[in-house]
Amino acid sequence: MSEQQAASQATREQMRYWASGVGIVATVLDGQAHGMTISSFTSLSLEPPRILVSLYMKTRTYELVQASQSFAVTLLSSEQQEISRKFAGQVADDGNRFDGIDWQPSLSGNPIISGGLAYFDCKVVESFVQGEQTVFVAEVLDAGAPEDKPESAKPLLYYFRDYRQMGD
């Protein structure tokens, strides 16, 4: 095993200690909606409003985001674990992951998953390659949350290679 392979394996092993929220990044191109589960998401700037997502370049979602230069991110609630699994590969990359999923189009037409904690409708302003990933920096065009979201709603978390829920 090379030094780089050993470092990659060690990084993979240690990243399991990093708890993160779970979301769905989704886009529409030529009437075709597609998305994938992500945990590589962060707020980059509030003025101007910018977020960052990282997508594996060998996915259909990456191809559609690259072509459309637009996407929405839905932050999932603790009750949406099955949706996360579906978009994480339970339904193949060439399958219809939105089958049976309730969603509404954002102002840009991108899918926003119903029942999520919040959403961000975005336009790509910059992208760059890092290894097998492309990092997309996007301007937030619109953001919001369901009006009927209870104050007690909790995020879906991923920690130590499994889904978790936040305690009080």
Side-chain angles (χ1 to χ4, degrees):
M1 179 181 294
S2 72
E3 284 184 33
Q4 184 176 6
Q5 289 171 323
S8 292
Q9 183 61 34
T11 300
R12 178 185 305 267
E13 288 297 314
Q14 300 318 308
M15 285 303 296
R16 64 188 170 169
Y17 295 105
W18 179 250
S20 65
V22 180
I24 302 293
V25 64
T27 190
V28 172
L29 183 63
D30 299 329
Q32 179 183 22
H34 195 69
M36 65 188 283
T37 300
I38 60 166
S39 59
S40 295
F41 164 82
T42 192
S43 171
L44 189 59
S45 168
L46 296 177
E47 293 294 332
R50 301 263 165 97
I51 59 98
L52 177 149
V53 297
S54 175
L55 301 178
Y56 183 54
M57 291 188 298
K58 294 181 181 177
T59 64
R60 185 167 155 212
T61 303
Y62 160 79
E63 291 172 5
L64 294 175
V65 168
Q66 184 72 13
S68 70
Q69 294 291 290
S70 177
F71 61 87
V73 174
T74 303
L75 303 182
L76 299 182
S77 78
S78 61
E79 299 169 358
Q80 294 180 301
Q81 189 176 107
E82 287 310 309
I83 291 173
S84 177
R85 288 186 194 284
K86 187 173 188 176
F87 282 81
Q90 194 176 58
V91 172
D93 203 34
D94 61 351
N96 181 2
R97 293 178 175 168
F98 283 96
D99 187 34
I101 301 293
D102 186 29
W103 64 277
Q104 282 74 47
S106 68
L107 294 176
S108 301
N110 295 309
I112 298 170
I113 308 286
S114 298
L117 297 178
Y119 70 87
F120 303 86
D121 187 26
C122 304
K123 173 183 77 171
V124 175
V125 294
E126 187 176 346
S127 63
F128 53 94
V129 174
Q130 287 294 301
E132 298 178 323
Q133 305 282 324
T134 293
V135 176
F136 291 96
V137 176
E139 178 181 350
V140 177
L141 304 174
D142 184 39
E147 290 180 20
D148 61 347
K149 178 180 69 178
E151 219 172 278
S152 61
K154 294 182 181 178
L156 180 60
L157 301 175
Y158 195 75
Y159 174 73
F160 213 80
R161 297 183 182 144
D162 202 1
Y163 293 101
R164 309 290 177 161
Q165 292 184 22
M166 187 170 73
D168 290 322

